Amino acid sequence: MKIESTKTPQIQINNHSSRKQCSKIVQALERAGSAGMSTIELREEIDILHPAGRVQELRESGYRIDTIWTVTTNAQGHNHRCARYVLYGKRGLATCD
């Protein structure tokens, strides 16, 4: 009986470090301006799996981000009550560390 080897295909893994995710959120919120971005938009459009956690880290590092509760429709057409984040700048030397 011959057993064929099954190699796992090489999968390209993007940089999903917390620092990189925070940087992506800051850039996205800067582009969005006063419209901000919802949790669902951050997940689906810029691939942030836990936006609330990253937003909290940004706040702790000095970014001024407001939360507006809203109802947003996801890609599957379901409505969800979720946060919409609006960036109002940063205090002092805010970083994405």
Side-chain angles (χ1 to χ4, degrees):
M1 177 175 171
K2 182 178 178 182
I3 299 175
E4 294 185 31
S5 73
T6 55
K7 291 185 178 180
T8 304
Q10 293 282 330
I11 299 173
Q12 178 79 20
I13 303 294
N14 295 325
N15 181 355
H16 289 292
S17 68
S18 293
R19 184 176 182 161
K20 179 68 173 178
Q21 289 181 46
C22 286
S23 177
K24 288 170 68 173
I25 288 174
V26 168
Q27 292 171 11
L29 292 178
E30 286 174 341
R31 284 191 307 271
S34 62
M37 291 187 77
S38 73
T39 300
I40 292 173
E41 291 167 334
L42 290 168
R43 282 186 187 136
E44 293 179 352
E45 294 176 22
I46 64 169
D47 198 25
I48 306 298
L49 296 182
H50 185 49
R54 302 295 79 81
V55 168
Q56 183 62 34
E57 291 170 1
L58 288 166
R59 287 176 175 148
E60 289 170 358
S61 71
Y63 283 89
R64 293 176 42 228
I65 301 172
D66 278 356
T67 299
I68 301 164
W69 289 101
T70 186
V71 175
T72 304
T73 306
N74 68 8
Q76 292 75 35
H78 301 118
N79 291 327
H80 296 273
R81 180 179 180 268
C82 66
R84 176 167 291 280
Y85 301 108
V86 180
L87 176 66
Y88 287 103
K90 52 189 174 182
R91 293 182 292 270
L93 299 173
T95 64
C96 293
D97 292 336

